[in-house]
Amino acid sequence: MQKEHDRDAVAEGVAEAVRFDRVTKRFGDHTVLDGLDLAVGRGERVTLIGPSGSGKTTILRLLMTLERVTEGVIHVGGEPFSHMPGAGAGAAGGLVPASERYLADRRRGIGMVFQHFNLFPHMSVLENVVEAPVHVLKENREEAAERARALLGMVGLADKVDARPTRLSGGQQQRVAIARALAMRPEILLLDEVTSALDPELVAEVLDVLRDVARDTDITLLCVTHEMGFARDVSDRILMFDQGRIVESGRAGELLDAPRHERTRAFLSAVR
Ligand code: ADP
Ligand code: MG
């Protein structure tokens, strides 16, 4: 019974965006992820659900290179990510832990939006979106600004480009953060409870923007949310986590309508 859910596979013929191979993450003697196998296909939309503390954010932070794996290997786009090819014959199939420089290069294709938007308060909305493409991707400032305007239009903020973020509502600020992430042209976008800090009446406008992103792009989405309606609409697959393990994985509608595991049923009835 364990094995069936342990190895979470991408459909045959689909290229892999992300693969966790037996990934363990410990903080001291606290095991947060326990030999996790997880695969996400290119362009796939996967939602992670599960109780607080089950390791969902840790998975995203490993992909943002904000944490390092304790054991196992993460691959992104079919290439090693947590590790890199070592000189000579090292352990683990010639892989050695990735250097900072290797990580800095590989994480560029990955964007993240968090619960807290952390916009630069001293910059305009437009400057917030232009900053990283110019400084990290070395894009031409005029072209980056033009693209930023288009992205801000897409998230419904064309009239706020010159405003300071502090003048905006939480929902508007989070939409700026989404535009800022998209400005980096991510192949993979990580969304960690992006509506959890918002007043209830502002949640829908942010989720609607993300529905547009899901519809209009082929970005691979890895999403943590307690918004089950949203999860149903955008996800190809939902993974239910508990204590650093996948207890159940299935197509969104099937998992939500007919969860097979008691743990999933209990969780879903608690969040609905
Ligand atoms: P989730 O996002 O599912 O709520 P997290 O991935 O944030 O879970 O956390 C999983 C567990 O890891 C929690 O018990 C949390 O306290 C612990 N944890 C996360 N980050 C750290 C850290 N930097 N140091 C120690 N423990 C941590
Ligand atoms: Mg979390």
Side-chain angles (χ1 to χ4, degrees):
M1 172 185 122
Q2 292 311 65
K3 279 293 149 210
E4 181 194 344
H5 306 296
D6 257 325
R7 187 154 279 282
D8 200 56
V10 166
E12 213 170 312
V14 176
E16 270 177 4
V18 172
R19 181 154 54 90
F20 280 51
D21 248 347
R22 295 269 152 221
V23 168
T24 291
K25 176 63 182 173
R26 287 188 204 99
F27 293 104
D29 56 8
H30 179 31
T31 301
V32 173
L33 300 177
D34 188 9
L36 178 68
D37 285 324
L38 165 68
V40 178
R42 255 184 221 173
E44 196 180 12
R45 280 68 199 266
V46 173
T47 295
L48 315 181
I49 64 171
S52 178
S54 59
K56 306 177 302 292
T57 293
T58 300
I59 290 169
L60 303 189
R61 287 176 58 83
L62 285 166
L63 286 168
M64 282 310 284
T65 74
L66 297 168
E67 302 288 353
R68 296 271 197 150
V69 300
T70 310
E71 289 164 20
V73 179
I74 300 173
H75 295 261
V76 170
E79 306 273 338
F81 181 79
S82 60
H83 290 66
M84 61 185 191
L95 295 177
V96 298
S99 66
E100 282 303 325
R101 171 184 270 219
Y102 183 85
L103 288 175
D105 185 43
R106 296 300 317 281
R107 73 168 156 249
R108 260 179 219 167
I110 305 178
M112 185 160 183
V113 182
F114 303 81
Q115 193 173 333
H116 299 286
F117 0 101
N118 294 322
L119 300 174
F120 295 119
H122 59 286
M123 291 182 183
S124 72
V125 162
L126 186 74
E127 286 163 345
N128 265 277
V129 180
V130 166
E131 178 69 14
V134 168
H135 286 102
V136 181
L137 301 182
K138 310 292 178 202
E139 286 184 15
N140 167 289
R141 182 169 284 277
E142 277 66 50
E143 288 170 21
E146 196 175 316
R147 192 143 175 283
R149 285 179 195 280
L151 287 168
L152 287 165
M154 194 188 106
V155 301
L157 295 174
D159 58 338
K160 300 291 182 196
V161 289
D162 297 321
R164 296 279 149 151
T166 45
R167 312 289 298 185
L168 305 184
S169 72
Q172 290 171 329
Q173 291 186 54
Q174 192 60 297
R175 287 188 275 146
V176 176
I178 293 165
R180 178 181 58 179
L182 293 174
M184 291 295 283
R185 307 172 189 275
E187 288 166 23
I188 300 168
L189 186 60
L190 313 175
L191 304 170
D192 195 1
E193 299 196 31
V194 298
T195 59
S196 295
L198 298 177
D199 292 337
E201 72 271 22
L202 304 178
V203 168
E205 65 188 56
V206 172
L207 295 182
D208 283 346
V209 161
L210 291 172
R211 284 190 179 90
D212 291 346
V213 171
R215 190 193 58 217
D216 299 339
T217 75
D218 54 8
I219 298 174
T220 305
L221 288 180
L222 226 67
C223 174
V224 177
T225 184
H226 296 300
E227 299 287 340
M228 294 305 149
F230 172 72
R232 181 190 296 271
D233 291 348
V234 302
S235 321
D236 299 307
R237 209 151 43 104
I238 297 181
L239 309 179
M240 166 70 194
F241 279 81
D242 194 24
Q243 300 185 358
R245 290 169 163 270
I246 299 171
V247 295
E248 178 165 357
S249 150
R251 294 164 62 89
E254 286 169 18
L255 186 138
L256 293 173
D257 294 336
R260 284 169 291 152
H261 286 251
E262 183 46 41
R263 191 74 196 82
T264 314
R265 279 194 282 273
F267 175 77
L268 289 175
S269 62
V271 294
R272 273 167 177 165

